Amino acid sequence: MIDTLNSDPPSSEPQASSDDCFWLRVAIDVPLAGLFDYRCAHAVAPGCRVIVPFGRRKLMGIVVETPDTPSFEAKQVREVDEVLDDLPPFPSDWMRMAAFAAQYYQRPLGEVMLPTLPAGLRKVTAYQGKRSAGGPVRRLDKRASKSSPKPIQAKEAPALNEEQIQAVQAIDAITGYKAVLLHGVTGSGKTEVYLRAAQTVLARGRQVLFMVPEINLTPQLEQSLRSSLAVAAGPDSLAVLHSGLSDGERLRAWLRVQRGEARILLGTRLSIFTPMPDLGLIIVDEEHDASYKQQEGLRYSARDLAVWRAHDRDIPVVLGSATPSLESWAHAQRGNYLKLSLEHRARDVELPVVQLVDTRRLAMQQGFSPQLIEAIQGRLEHGEQSLVFLNRRGYAPVLNCGSCGWVSQCPRCTAYTVLHRAGARRNYLQCHHCGYQARVPASCPDCGDQDLHPMGRGTQRVEEYLAELFPEARIARIDADSTRLKGSAEALFAKVHAGEIDILVGTQMVAKGHDFANLGLVGVLNADGMLFAQDFRAPERLFAQLMQVAGRAGRHVRGGKVIIQTDYPEQPVYQALVKHDYVGFARYGLEEREAIGLPPYAFQALLTAEARELATAIEFLTQARALPEQSPDAYYMASAITLYDPVPLRVLRVANIERAQLLIESAQRPALQAFLAQWSVSLPELAGGHRVRWQLEVDPLEI
């Protein structure tokens, strides 16, 4: 997790040169380090957007500095094409955060600033051409509806228990910056604590940023925020931002927040970069979730940037979870974060009983133990809902020929294609890594045998089996396949909440954040898959995932139960789950990591290389690893850095591109940052000689 370090403002007031020409230093979204000098006939404030010539193209840029003189010969400096004035300059705190993110994650400033903006604000074609008509902001303002927002009936706030009251009071008492870790068991009412803390901030005239890890969590929270905070903030004070919005919807919401019209922003990870002039509180729900880490482009952690932004703005940030990340827990143990605990459920219902079913000697039916089938039947008879959790979508993980051993391998990846069923004549194989699709072969491509069998099971196959087993039950499946269309996830969850579904089959989409009123049973299939993964974070992820999905059971009904089928019931992860003992699991996990020097007791970066041939990627990484040895004086504290040998990725080939990685590690964050800043300067030239694509990731979550 990022330390809360301050950074200096990137600029000063515009300065004119001796010949009345103003020099601008501009950030552009190109993979080149540094800023680019331009001239302008009039003064331009830092934070303004400009359209500039770059080679033969015209690109959008943001003015970062206004120096007295350019960094090279004045006659070679080109003039800006256009200064855009449809928005005020970006505020200094936004500029500081972008500068910090660029420095910490080792990316050019332009690759941080521009991609975080709504599409219309970073496209030159939106401002120049026949259809530009003043730019997207002015076009949107002209079309803005003048109708009044629909009145929303304020929801009566539920009474808080003593733990919730103490948590709200502790947050309300904070003046200035403080990171708060709100650790509460599932169903303990963390959301109500967030809402009460937000009400206090809104009553002071400030804005609140409420972050969630998944798009599908926003509809339920949006309704709750509107009804709970309507009195404090007004009926039209909420804006929602996530990648599922259209460009116009995202721009409209972004503008309302940037102008201070919306006082509550509910968003996923990208919302951390939204300018908020009166920001007074940041809330990061499910702070442990890996979805807060961007996996393409600028590989930032929105949770970590939320902590940095709160420190920079001198405001509180609340990180909430039933299963906090071990990094956050370690911060709380050291006293860096204020830890608040909710150890009991908000309603008068007990935590669900967790039962481990040892499947090693059981006769299983399509992956179901007799105990789980009997438990589902019992809930149906009592009119309660059941959730069957399997974190694998599709019908079956692989198609197999029993005669010759052929399996459905993706031709472009070192991975299997997954069997999907979309009707009797629309079955297909799909690779979940590159997207490759193919028809299901009528016979084995190798031996011609027509008797091909699906191996393993995904959510589609589980749904099919349950429909055969319980023909009278209403069954629904919620995964990435069943919720592709806009609004489909919201509609499916609405059916569950309305009691129109008896058995819900789902992946991790249903594991967190949802408050199902009539759900009494959770059954977990194939949990062991993550037990022995290569990644050292796998046990932590498994525990969090199972604890979260277990928490859906018995939130409103008594006698909630969780059945976990496993071949390894003695594993510490499962034993901690039976006791609902996050504290014990965290203690064990941190002790283990400290003993072998893993995060949070070490700091890491990962250099990944992609090439047509693995040997090319390995050669690039090998030479990159040798750079400090060739000029050791050029690397600050290189002796405090460990560079491991290059190795292929677990999924070696994706879309005919082969991949390898090099791990960099240090016990000191400043030493690692100083090393990366100097080492990464040599990487572009080295990569150019090898025809590889490379990516440097700081604080990687997957190794």
Side-chain angles (χ1 to χ4, degrees):
M1 183 170 288
I2 299 173
D3 295 327
T4 51
L5 304 175
N6 286 311
S7 64
D8 295 328
S11 61
S12 57
E13 290 299 316
Q15 300 293 322
S17 68
S18 56
D19 58 354
D20 293 330
C21 178
F22 292 83
W23 306 109
L24 310 178
R25 203 151 281 158
V26 179
I28 304 173
D29 184 9
V30 293
L32 297 173
L35 304 174
F36 301 89
D37 286 355
Y38 289 90
R39 71 168 74 219
C40 188
H42 57 85
V44 181
C48 287
R49 288 171 304 133
V50 292
I51 297 175
V52 298
F54 189 83
R56 296 181 179 180
R57 298 178 292 166
K58 291 182 180 180
L59 299 178
M60 188 71 70
I62 297 176
V63 178
V64 177
E65 300 172 1
T66 54
D68 293 334
T69 57
S71 54
F72 55 95
E73 191 174 349
K75 64 176 65 175
Q76 297 180 1
V77 179
R78 303 173 74 178
E79 189 167 358
V80 299
D81 192 70
E82 185 178 352
V83 178
L84 303 178
D85 61 356
D86 56 342
L87 290 178
F90 289 105
S92 58
D93 70 298
W94 186 87
M95 302 282 282
R96 287 194 301 271
M97 184 172 66
F100 171 78
Q103 175 190 4
Y104 186 83
Y105 292 109
Q106 306 294 328
R107 297 296 292 241
L109 184 56
E111 287 191 344
V112 175
M113 288 181 163
L114 276 303
T116 65
L117 304 180
L121 300 183
R122 48 188 162 91
K123 290 183 178 178
V124 173
T125 53
Y127 289 89
Q128 294 186 343
K130 295 181 179 180
R131 299 183 180 180
S132 60
V137 175
R138 293 192 173 100
R139 292 198 302 271
L140 195 64
D141 287 342
K142 288 180 181 179
R143 296 197 304 265
S145 173
K146 303 299 181 182
S147 60
S148 301
K150 295 180 181 180
I152 297 178
Q153 185 175 1
K155 183 180 71 174
E156 183 178 353
L160 303 184
N161 60 31
E162 188 61 32
E163 288 181 332
Q164 290 174 305
I165 292 172
Q166 292 177 4
V168 172
Q169 290 175 342
I171 297 171
D172 288 349
I174 296 172
T175 57
Y177 164 75
K178 189 66 182 179
V180 178
L181 180 61
L182 180 62
H183 171 227
V185 299
T186 53
S188 60
K190 293 184 292 294
T191 300
E192 195 60 38
V193 173
Y194 301 148
L195 295 176
R196 299 296 178 93
Q199 286 176 346
T200 302
V201 173
L202 292 168
R204 297 170 182 162
R206 308 291 298 277
Q207 291 175 303
V208 175
L209 171 57
F210 197 129
M211 297 176 62
V212 292
E214 301 278 358
I215 290 175
N216 65 76
L217 293 182
T218 54
Q220 182 177 340
L221 268 172
E222 180 180 354
Q223 182 179 3
S224 180
L225 286 170
R226 287 191 189 280
S227 59
S228 299
L229 303 179
V231 174
D236 195 33
S237 58
L238 176 67
V240 179
L241 273 177
H242 55 72
S243 59
L245 300 176
S246 66
D247 288 347
E249 290 172 329
R250 184 183 166 197
L251 176 59
R252 187 178 295 108
W254 189 93
L255 287 172
R256 291 182 59 235
V257 176
Q258 180 259 353
R259 292 168 174 173
E261 298 169 2
R263 297 172 60 197
I264 311 160
L265 174 57
L266 172 62
T268 50
R269 62 175 175 259
L270 191 60
S271 61
I272 190 60
F273 285 102
T274 306
M276 301 185 72
D278 299 312
L279 184 60
L281 174 66
I282 302 176
I283 297 168
V284 184
D285 191 27
E286 308 291 0
E287 67 86 29
H288 68 279
D289 200 287
S291 297
Y292 283 120
K293 184 69 185 290
Q294 172 75 12
Q295 294 298 327
E296 297 177 354
L298 174 69
R299 302 196 176 192
Y300 65 92
S301 165
R303 176 202 63 196
D304 294 357
L305 286 181
V307 175
W308 191 93
R309 189 175 187 181
H311 182 271
D312 181 65
R313 290 291 298 260
D314 198 27
I315 61 173
V317 55
V318 179
L319 312 175
S321 177
T323 55
S325 66
L326 292 185
E327 285 82 358
S328 295
W329 190 256
H331 274 295
Q333 296 297 95
R334 296 170 187 148
N336 298 334
Y337 293 175
L338 171 64
K339 181 167 72 72
L340 303 176
S341 296
L342 305 177
E343 298 178 358
H344 303 89
R345 283 193 155 180
R347 298 179 182 87
D348 186 23
V349 290
E350 297 297 322
L351 287 167
V353 173
V354 178
Q355 176 185 352
L356 302 178
V357 174
D358 189 341
T359 55
R360 286 173 289 193
R361 296 177 180 85
L362 289 179
M364 305 289 284
Q365 302 178 38
Q366 290 293 327
F368 283 78
S369 64
Q371 291 93 325
L372 181 53
I373 293 173
E374 182 181 351
I376 294 174
Q377 180 65 54
R379 298 292 166 169
L380 289 172
E381 293 172 356
H382 285 85
E384 294 179 9
Q385 295 170 316
S386 299
L387 165 61
V388 176
F389 176 76
L390 173 62
N391 204 22
R392 177 174 284 167
R393 61 189 176 97
Y395 186 83
V398 67
L399 195 63
N400 168 255
C401 174
S403 297
C404 70
W406 173 87
V407 291
S408 54
Q409 175 79 41
C410 175
R412 306 191 300 191
C413 306
T414 50
Y416 299 122
T417 52
V418 176
L419 175 62
H420 288 257
R421 287 192 171 177
R425 297 184 179 180
R426 296 179 56 203
N427 296 344
Y428 62 95
L429 297 170
Q430 181 177 21
C431 175
H432 290 176
H433 294 276
C434 72
Y436 167 84
Q437 285 191 3
R439 292 181 179 179
V440 175
S443 60
C444 175
D446 288 353
C447 72
D449 192 333
Q450 297 183 0
D451 192 16
L452 300 179
H453 300 281
M455 291 179 62
R457 55 198 53 84
T459 50
Q460 284 184 320
R461 194 173 189 182
V462 168
E463 178 189 24
E464 179 183 88
Y465 174 69
L466 288 172
E468 295 173 356
L469 195 62
F470 304 108
E472 302 300 320
R474 298 166 296 177
I475 302 173
R477 171 172 52 89
I478 298 183
D479 57 23
D481 297 315
S482 66
T483 58
R484 290 188 186 280
L485 299 178
K486 186 174 182 178
S488 56
E490 186 175 354
L492 283 170
F493 281 119
K495 282 188 173 183
V496 180
H497 290 300
E500 299 173 11
I501 302 299
D502 299 314
I503 304 175
L504 175 62
V505 179
T507 59
Q508 61 183 354
M509 291 180 64
V510 302
K512 56 207 169 195
H514 299 287
D515 189 15
F516 301 126
N518 195 37
L519 186 68
L521 173 70
V522 170
V524 180
L525 310 183
N526 198 33
D528 295 339
M530 291 179 64
L531 266 182
F532 307 107
Q534 295 176 345
D535 192 344
F536 70 87
R537 286 191 172 88
E540 179 186 1
R541 289 200 188 99
L542 177 60
F543 181 85
Q545 188 178 81
L546 295 182
M547 181 74 88
Q548 292 288 335
V549 73
R552 301 315 104 199
R555 297 170 75 93
H556 296 258
V557 297
R558 295 188 180 278
K561 190 171 186 179
V562 180
I563 295 178
I564 300 175
Q565 302 182 158
T566 174
D567 286 349
Y568 307 95
E570 70 283 351
Q571 283 290 321
V573 171
Y574 295 137
Q575 292 301 315
L577 279 165
V578 169
K579 303 171 186 175
H580 297 277
D581 185 14
Y582 169 81
V583 175
F585 172 81
R587 185 188 309 114
Y588 169 80
L590 287 174
E591 288 174 354
E592 187 177 52
R593 291 196 191 177
E594 185 175 21
I596 55 180
L598 289 172
Y601 304 100
F603 306 95
Q604 297 177 330
L606 195 66
L607 178 62
T608 306
E610 301 178 348
R612 288 290 181 183
E613 300 291 338
L614 176 62
T616 305
I618 292 289
E619 183 182 3
F620 163 72
L621 294 176
T622 301
Q623 293 185 14
R625 184 181 184 278
L627 285 173
E629 301 171 3
Q630 297 169 4
S631 52
D633 294 340
Y635 296 91
Y636 172 72
M637 293 187 71
S639 60
I641 305 297
T642 300
L643 290 94
Y644 292 89
D645 292 331
V647 294
L649 265 68
R650 180 177 56 85
V651 180
L652 167 62
R653 186 175 64 255
V654 172
N656 292 322
I657 299 297
E658 300 194 335
R659 312 177 301 166
Q661 65 184 23
L662 168 66
L663 179 65
I664 308 99
E665 191 173 78
S666 176
Q668 305 167 26
R669 190 194 301 275
L672 179 63
Q673 281 288 312
F675 172 81
L676 294 177
Q678 298 190 49
W679 185 58
S680 61
V681 171
S682 304
L683 296 179
E685 183 179 355
L686 184 63
H690 288 80
R691 297 176 66 86
V692 299
R693 292 199 303 261
W694 62 278
Q695 172 75 44
L696 182 61
E697 181 178 3
V698 180
D699 299 336
L701 285 186
E702 295 187 12
I703 298 175

